[in-house]
Amino acid sequence: MFRSIGNAVVRHPVWTIVAWLIAAVAIVATAPTLPSSSDESSFLPSSYESIKAADLQERAFPSTFTPSAIALYQRTDGGRLTAADKEDVARITSELGDKHIDQVQKVVPGLPSKDGRYTTTLVQMDSKNAGQPKQADAADILRTDVKKLTKGTQLEVKLGGSAAQALDQEESSSRGQALIGIGTFVIILVTLLIIFRAPILAVLPLVLIGLVSAIANGLIAYATKLFDLQANSSISSILIVVLFGVGTDYFLFLMFRYRERLRAGEEPKEAMVNAVGRVGEAIASAAGAVIIAFLALVLSTLGFLKQMGPALAIAVAATLVAGLTLIPAVVSLIGPKVFWPSKSWQREPENARFAALGRGVQRRPALTAALSGLVLVALSLGMFGYNATFDLASGSMPDTKESMVVQDEMQKAYSAGAAAPTDVYLSSSDGKPLDKAAFGAYAQKLGAVDGVANARMTQLNKDGTTADFTVTLEYEASTDKAIDAVGEVRDVAHDAAPDGTEALVGGMSSIYKDIGTAVNHDYRTVFPVAALLIMVILGLLLRSVVAPLYLMASVGLGFGATLGATVWIFQDRQGHSGLMFMLPVIMYLFVVAIGTDYNILMIARLREEAREGRDPREAAGMALRYAGPTVAAAGFILAATFATMMLAGNALLTEMGFAVSFGIAVAAFVMSMFFTPSLTALIGHAAWWPGHGDRAEGTPTGAAAGSDGSGRPVSGEDRGSVEEEPSGRSR
């Protein structure tokens, strides 16, 4: 099949390129804008208690004041606010309200801090658009206007709150995307120049993958709108890396094999057809494993991951099609001139280091497997110290952003939980009015929970059927202590609810609590489903039951080693309280799925060498000799491109960039180069049970596959540039 695809593309390269260009113009011109949300609650389904509480609050207290933006004032000299300062704040608050800014529903004065050095203006926005770009735009206007109104006073003002966080997150994401994009381009360009010493080859993948990127983004926007998915600004940064990193991988897989066929003496167009025919199955299987793993994210309960899965699957699928059609078409049109001005492509280097590594694996597979396995196990020990953090807003931007400064200063000036209090909604289950006499005792029980600063009944709906108890925690909403405390509040709220009533606990800490529950669900669901589906892909590729088992075991060790190293770096060495909550899920999918690419390429080449008549150890050595350079180049580029995410300057992308780049490096330079080939060499022919994937087609089980009749193994070069299949067709 893949040879047929290569034949069609090489025969009609111009039409293939034109088809891609037409598709790009049509999709980009008609695709909708990709929406974005930074509201954590929008990532949870309606079955969780925090979301039920939010829905109840909208029904029972539609006019409840919930600030989306907070203007925090203090004197420029840091002293206590004077009467004149307070008059200035009152004037500014009034004038802000008179501006009637889009999305702004109400502007009211807030309470001063206990030490008298701070006060606030609270801005309520339309709750239906929480976290959406239009509220970030409103925050931008508010920030500009409030600073203008403060000029000429002794006050300085900063704007915080969820809308301001959305604005800062958007700006931080744009800056991060620019740095990631530039870093990715530079790494790919410089690395390809070093590998091939050919400027055309260095620039070509950037141009072609840029075209694929435009198409993929358009398709993702269509899918997001069609299936009403949530989007997050961090996805755009990840997409850049996935498209260019994975796309360059497939480009390298093809170009290394194309160069190998040219060195064997094949005519350029036939060399490309054979390259697609030989490596196409490995590319398709590798992409299939990645796509399947990403699609497993649709089983997630978090909207953020539900959106990410299909988006990344679409990106990889577009890259796969390009790798089998667009890239071969363009390269076959250019021919060997693609390697200009270098002439090194014409001959294989002598005494190559990968040949030496291959000989080492061939001679001592047990030692190689033991040492590489020991490294993975040792690194994996660190994962037992993993702790999750849930503040997506602060994790998505630097601490120096204005909204983050406001959050930090408010925690110091007010109660740490005052900026995001917890609400307990007590409702009548039979529709009758609540017994007001029980409110005091109920509030007292809530206030007695460890970690609660105070609790009081703040409002009752007009029917008297729902009461709102505001519970202020002693800790900032996203901390482990606050999440633990809200769990205790839930238990007490449910247990102490009077007969005929039911309680729901809402607020940011409650949302974070539910996100933690959702992530644990994803661990139990997404991980095993993705692993099982990848094993099916491997089984179909290798026609084996045994090989997929130890390949997935090795990839699992790679995941453990990556998480362990990330915990040691960020929690133990840098003192972070934990890692972003979705990191293990994302890391699992990237490291397991993309890391499997290199295992697939190596094991496919090992099988090819075995079919030439080589014994398992020699096949492993030859596979490392020929596939090793491809894996090393592809692994380095992909790891380096993911590492550019660390340039974004926020905790989420820094942790993600390190973890995924480290995991890919482990997958490429430890698992696929040493652990996998050495294990396969040790297991021998049994690795391909129940099939005989390591034997040439039509060869009896007991015969030496690929022999010339005298028992002498025949290499690919001995058989000529175009080999004959049993049917008589050249492949």
Side-chain angles (χ1 to χ4, degrees):
M1 181 182 80
F2 295 102
R3 182 179 172 82
S4 298
I5 293 172
N7 247 324
V9 168
V10 170
R11 284 180 184 175
H12 308 288
V14 175
W15 285 113
T16 303
I17 296 167
V18 168
W20 271 91
L21 291 173
I22 291 173
V25 171
I27 291 171
V28 171
T30 59
T33 303
L34 185 66
S36 179
S37 174
S38 59
D39 179 20
E40 286 91 338
S41 65
S42 67
F43 299 153
L44 286 168
S46 57
S47 58
Y48 283 88
E49 181 170 348
S50 59
I51 306 304
K52 289 180 180 178
D55 292 341
L56 175 60
Q57 181 260 315
E58 288 186 8
R59 294 195 308 270
F61 307 104
S63 60
T64 296
F65 189 92
T66 305
S68 298
I70 302 171
L72 181 66
Y73 306 90
Q74 67 178 127
R75 284 184 59 84
T76 54
D77 60 9
R80 292 174 62 88
L81 296 171
T82 65
D85 295 331
K86 294 175 183 177
E87 289 178 6
D88 285 332
V89 171
R91 173 185 57 80
I92 294 167
T93 301
S94 176
E95 291 185 22
L96 274 180
D98 293 340
K99 289 181 177 290
H100 302 294
I101 299 168
D102 181 44
Q103 295 296 307
V104 173
Q105 296 177 328
K106 193 182 295 184
V107 182
V108 300
L111 296 173
S113 62
K114 291 180 180 178
D115 61 9
R117 295 172 56 236
Y118 295 89
T119 193
T120 58
T121 292
L122 307 178
V123 181
Q124 179 176 311
M125 296 188 188
D126 187 352
S127 61
K128 295 178 182 177
N129 296 318
Q132 298 301 320
K134 59 179 69 176
Q135 293 206 350
D137 295 339
D140 193 17
I141 296 170
L142 278 168
R143 183 172 282 170
T144 301
D145 287 350
V146 76
K147 290 181 187 297
K148 285 181 181 178
L149 293 171
T150 309
K151 284 185 178 178
T153 70
Q154 298 300 311
L155 300 169
E156 65 173 343
V157 63
K158 302 182 187 74
L159 191 75
S162 60
Q165 288 177 354
L167 172 64
D168 289 343
Q169 187 175 343
E170 186 179 285
E171 293 175 351
S172 179
S173 177
S174 298
R175 175 181 173 274
Q177 284 180 42
L179 289 172
I180 289 169
I182 293 169
T184 299
F185 271 60
V186 169
I187 286 167
I188 292 174
L189 188 66
V190 171
T191 306
L192 291 180
L193 277 172
I194 292 172
I195 292 171
F196 293 108
R197 295 188 288 281
I200 296 175
L201 262 182
V203 173
L204 194 59
L206 297 175
V207 175
L208 298 182
I209 299 166
L211 177 65
V212 176
S213 175
I215 292 174
N217 275 287
L219 293 174
I220 290 164
Y222 274 122
T224 301
K225 184 176 182 180
L226 181 63
F227 297 107
D228 193 27
L229 299 171
Q230 294 291 338
N232 184 273
S233 53
S234 297
I235 290 177
S236 299
S237 301
I238 298 169
L239 274 175
I240 293 171
V241 177
V242 169
L243 281 162
F244 283 91
V246 173
T248 304
D249 265 12
Y250 299 160
F251 179 82
L252 285 171
F253 290 0
L254 187 67
M255 291 311 301
F256 271 94
R257 185 53 72 100
Y258 176 57
R259 184 176 68 178
E260 185 180 325
R261 302 319 303 162
L262 288 175
R263 284 172 174 171
E266 293 183 358
E267 183 270 332
K269 289 190 179 295
E270 186 67 17
M272 180 54 74
V273 173
N274 279 336
V276 175
R278 288 176 175 239
V279 83
E281 186 180 23
I283 291 176
S285 299
V290 177
I291 291 168
I292 287 291
F294 287 158
L295 285 179
L297 282 176
V298 300
L299 300 174
S300 170
T301 49
L302 292 173
F304 172 72
L305 295 177
K306 275 182 180 290
Q307 155 67 9
M308 179 181 287
L312 297 179
I314 289 169
V316 174
T319 307
L320 166 63
V321 176
L324 297 177
T325 59
L326 180 61
I327 293 172
V330 173
V331 174
S332 66
L333 205 58
I334 300 171
K337 291 180 181 177
V338 76
F339 295 104
W340 178 88
S342 173
K343 297 186 184 298
S344 62
W345 64 272
Q346 297 174 352
R347 61 193 180 279
E348 183 182 350
E350 295 181 2
N351 300 320
R353 63 174 59 91
F354 288 98
L357 290 174
R359 288 192 295 271
V361 170
Q362 181 178 340
R363 291 170 185 164
R364 298 181 179 85
L367 179 63
T368 305
L371 289 177
S372 53
L374 188 62
V375 169
L376 296 175
V377 170
L379 288 172
S380 297
L381 296 176
M383 70 178 181
F384 295 107
Y386 167 73
N387 186 48
T389 57
F390 296 90
D391 189 357
L392 189 60
S394 62
S396 300
M397 69 186 99
D399 294 338
T400 54
K401 283 291 185 180
E402 187 169 325
S403 59
M404 292 294 97
V405 173
V406 170
Q407 179 175 289
D408 182 60
E409 290 184 352
M410 285 197 67
Q411 288 176 29
K412 296 174 182 174
Y414 298 83
S415 170
T422 295
D423 289 286
V424 177
Y425 298 103
L426 187 68
S427 298
S428 170
S429 54
D430 56 11
K432 296 179 181 179
L434 295 169
D435 179 11
K436 297 180 182 178
F439 289 171
Y442 189 67
Q444 189 174 7
K445 289 179 180 178
L446 293 174
V449 174
D450 188 31
V452 172
N454 61 75
R456 66 189 192 283
M457 201 284 285
T458 52
Q459 56 183 331
L460 186 67
N461 72 336
K462 60 182 180 181
D463 296 331
T465 56
T466 302
D468 177 9
F469 293 80
T470 299
V471 177
T472 303
L473 302 178
E474 295 176 353
Y475 318 108
E476 194 275 321
S478 65
T479 60
D480 291 342
K481 289 183 177 180
I483 294 168
D484 291 341
V486 89
E488 295 286 337
V489 169
R490 280 186 178 182
D491 291 340
V492 171
H494 298 159
D495 294 342
D499 293 338
T501 67
E502 58 183 4
L504 292 172
V505 180
M508 288 310 303
S509 295
S510 185
I511 289 171
Y512 292 136
K513 179 77 173 176
D514 285 340
I515 287 176
T517 303
V519 170
N520 288 333
H521 165 272
D522 292 349
Y523 290 160
R524 296 190 301 270
T525 306
V526 176
F527 281 22
V529 168
L532 181 62
L533 292 175
I534 291 173
M535 284 181 66
V536 170
I537 293 282
L538 291 171
L540 292 173
L541 168 68
L542 304 173
R543 282 80 167 173
S544 167
V545 172
V546 176
L549 292 174
Y550 69 80
L551 288 177
M552 285 307 299
S554 71
V555 173
L557 272 177
F559 166 77
T562 303
L563 181 57
T566 307
V567 168
W568 274 332
I569 292 292
F570 289 96
Q571 287 186 204
D572 298 343
R573 295 294 298 275
Q574 295 191 11
H576 291 195
S577 61
L579 305 178
M580 290 305 296
F581 66 90
M582 80 281 281
L583 185 64
V585 177
I586 294 171
M587 190 176 68
Y588 173 83
L589 293 167
F590 278 103
V591 173
V592 170
I594 297 179
T596 303
D597 281 11
Y598 305 127
N599 267 344
I600 287 175
L601 186 69
M602 185 63 72
I603 203 78
R605 185 59 188 247
L606 194 152
R607 179 184 61 181
E608 185 179 326
E609 295 298 333
R611 285 176 172 176
E612 301 289 355
R614 297 182 173 89
D615 66 45
R617 292 193 178 199
E618 185 184 5
M622 294 302 289
L624 184 51
R625 176 180 180 178
Y626 288 111
T630 310
V631 170
F636 173 78
I637 288 177
L638 191 60
T641 51
F642 270 103
T644 61
M645 294 170 70
M646 298 173 70
L647 300 173
N650 66 66
L652 173 60
L653 292 180
T654 298
E655 291 172 3
M656 193 183 299
F658 171 82
V660 177
S661 61
F662 184 88
I664 288 169
V666 167
F669 295 101
V670 180
M671 291 190 313
S672 65
M673 278 198 195
F674 298 107
F675 197 61
T676 295
S678 58
L679 274 181
T680 307
L682 284 172
I683 296 171
H685 295 300
W688 308 97
W689 184 87
H692 303 290
D694 60 336
R695 302 183 189 280
E697 293 181 26
T699 302
T701 303
S707 71
D708 63 358
S710 63
R712 182 181 68 85
V714 181
S715 69
E717 275 66 21
D718 289 333
R719 289 193 232 169
S721 60
V722 181
E723 300 170 9
E724 294 292 322
E725 291 185 329
S727 63
R729 292 181 293 106
S730 61
R731 63 181 175 89

